Amino acid sequence: MEKRDSFGSKFGVLVAMAGSAVGLGNLWRFPYLVGENGGAIFIIIYLVFVFLIGLPLMINEFVIGRRSQANVFGAFKTLCKDKSSLWGKVGIISVLCSLTILSFYCVVGGWTIDYLFRSISLQFTADTNYEQMFAESSAHVFRPLISTCIFLFFTALVVVLGVKKGIEKYSKIMMPLLILMIIAISIRSMLLSGAKEGIDFLFKPDFSKLTGQTVMAALGQAFFSLSIGCGTIITYASYVKKEEHIINDSFYTVVADFSFALLAGLAIMPAVFAFNTSPSEGPGLVYITLPHIFAQIPAGGMLAIIFFFILLFAALTSSISLLEVVVAFLIEEFHLKRTSAVILSVAVSAGLGVLCSLSMGLLKEWTIAGFTIFDCLDKLSANILLPLGGLLFVLFAGWKIPKADYYDELSNSGTVHVKPWLMKSIRFIIKYVAPVVILVILIVGLLPKQ
Ligand code: TRP
């Protein structure tokens, strides 16, 4: 079997973690959910979940990953003392969940490549029909399939190179660039005349919009955006050296991810309102509304290129983290070579991705409970599979990993000083608060609408 790779530096760990967290979740999913779920009220609930549940869960995955030094399946196998217990097999759910997310993620990644191409070839003009353009990019039979495969190919290229030479090196270049670009775009958007209404939409809550579904969508988005609940953080943390400060790294990642989501909101909503378009457009928001807006503002063509460039590269740093979960599993559990593991996993995701993509057009009629395959995978994975995965992780860590071991990992065997009250609070949230909150929200969210 290949020797285990690891991250080379602290900065490398941070950018790789932030790279995984910041992605289409922030730039595509967050704005459209904010639009669909009433604006500020959604953001407030999301903020509470990110820090109350998301941060402790990220720390928890860090503990499981670094302590076991193994892929997500191996992690449970290693840490579970009782070899006959089902807990030792729980990791397989995470591998399947990552594969599921990757298969619709690569479709949206494909749309992004298509739109980058369209922006470079100056197709965003004042009289283009953007609904039709989005339909061509997403519901057409072949066009989206080609772009989906190109996206998967780029993802595979980075993962084949491994952790230090691929993932870490690539994230170090992309992440700082991304931050600069999104700040530039949000400033431009906030300077539009009529932007104020969009800013109000983001920051002035309307409590009448609050429903069980809003709460569930906010929890699901917290999981999705932070990359928690399906072993991505466990896998990355297994490449992290023992000296790394788990709590600090998790905190910075969460803050970076939340700030990025807010910046994405500030880039998109003021423009949506300034041009009188609807914020509740759904998954097409970024692809239908934005190009329309870019076509109408000075230097919009240039901004469009920058925006889709950001979207593509943010998506790639995330999709490589999803692919790495599956690849690490195949390498360590089945002793495959990295390249073969990548080819196999990409082939499976491409197969599922094709179905997903076709469900936007040709297979539109194939629905489960009224949802197309694409919607099912998107909503099912974020709102149900990820919270369920997170629930299993906290139950395992809280009730199966001894307290002393947990504290030992949090404090790097006592070599970094972590305040005792902080360790106790984290353990308390993991053991009692998070399981109850997640369960209650899952139950409330799944109740039929009143
Ligand atoms: N967090 C990424 C985003 O916001 C997507 C992602 C990467 C992800 N790894 C994950 C989502 C693991 C859920 C679970 O785009």
Side-chain angles (χ1 to χ4, degrees), residues 284-298:
L285 180 68
V286 162
Y287 300 92
I288 297 173
T289 315
L290 273 190
H292 179 66
I293 292 163
F294 287 137
Q296 297 176 51
I297 52 181

Side-chain angles (χ1 to χ4, degrees), residues 20-21 23-26 101 105 224-225 227-228 230 232 318 321-322 386:
S20 165
L24 293 171
N26 308 58
I101 296 180
Y105 208 86
F224 189 89
S225 190
S227 303
I228 50 181
C230 73
T232 301
S318 301
S321 75
L322 284 162
L386 292 178

Side-chain angles (χ1 to χ4, degrees), residues 289-341:
T289 315
L290 273 190
H292 179 66
I293 292 163
F294 287 137
Q296 297 176 51
I297 52 181
M302 196 59 217
L303 284 181
I305 297 177
I306 298 179
F307 182 82
F308 287 107
F309 195 75
I310 301 181
L311 200 56
L312 175 61
F313 282 93
L316 280 171
T317 47
S318 301
S319 61
I320 57 183
S321 75
L322 284 162
L323 182 59
E324 180 63 24
V325 173
V326 189
V327 167
F329 164 73
L330 292 175
I331 294 178
E332 291 173 16
E333 303 302 320
F334 295 94
H335 309 298
L336 292 191
K337 286 230 167 340
R338 184 165 268 275
T339 317
S340 331

Side-chain angles (χ1 to χ4, degrees), residues 29-148:
R29 209 169 183 277
F30 179 77
Y32 100 68
L33 286 177
V34 170
E36 275 184 349
N37 290 288
I41 184 69
F42 177 85
I43 300 187
I44 294 172
I45 304 172
Y46 174 71
L47 175 73
V48 173
F49 285 149
V50 161
F51 284 93
L52 180 77
I53 304 287
L55 179 58
L57 258 74
M58 179 170 288
I59 296 173
N60 188 51
E61 283 202 32
F62 236 111
V63 168
I64 299 178
R66 201 179 60 174
R67 187 133 197 111
S68 63
Q69 299 281 305
N71 70 87
V72 61
F73 183 79
F76 281 86
K77 211 169 58 180
T78 316
L79 296 180
C80 186
K81 299 276 179 302
D82 171 9
K83 295 299 163 209
S84 60
S85 154
L86 267 186
W87 277 116
K89 317 224 163 21
V90 157
I92 192 71
I93 303 177
S94 301
V95 175
L96 295 176
C97 182
S98 302
L99 211 53
T100 313
I101 296 180
L102 184 59
S103 58
F104 73 83
Y105 208 86
C106 63
V107 174
V108 185
W111 301 345
T112 312
I113 292 190
D114 196 357
Y115 270 69
L116 180 60
F117 168 77
R118 288 181 190 277
S119 60
I120 294 172
S121 53
L122 305 177
Q123 294 184 28
F124 301 150
T125 56
D127 44 42
T128 309
N129 179 341
Y130 289 99
E131 301 272 345
Q132 196 186 339
M133 180 185 267
F134 181 60
E136 246 174 54
S137 295
S138 62
H140 193 267
V141 179
F142 295 114
R143 192 173 173 128
L145 293 189
I146 296 169
S147 48
T148 299

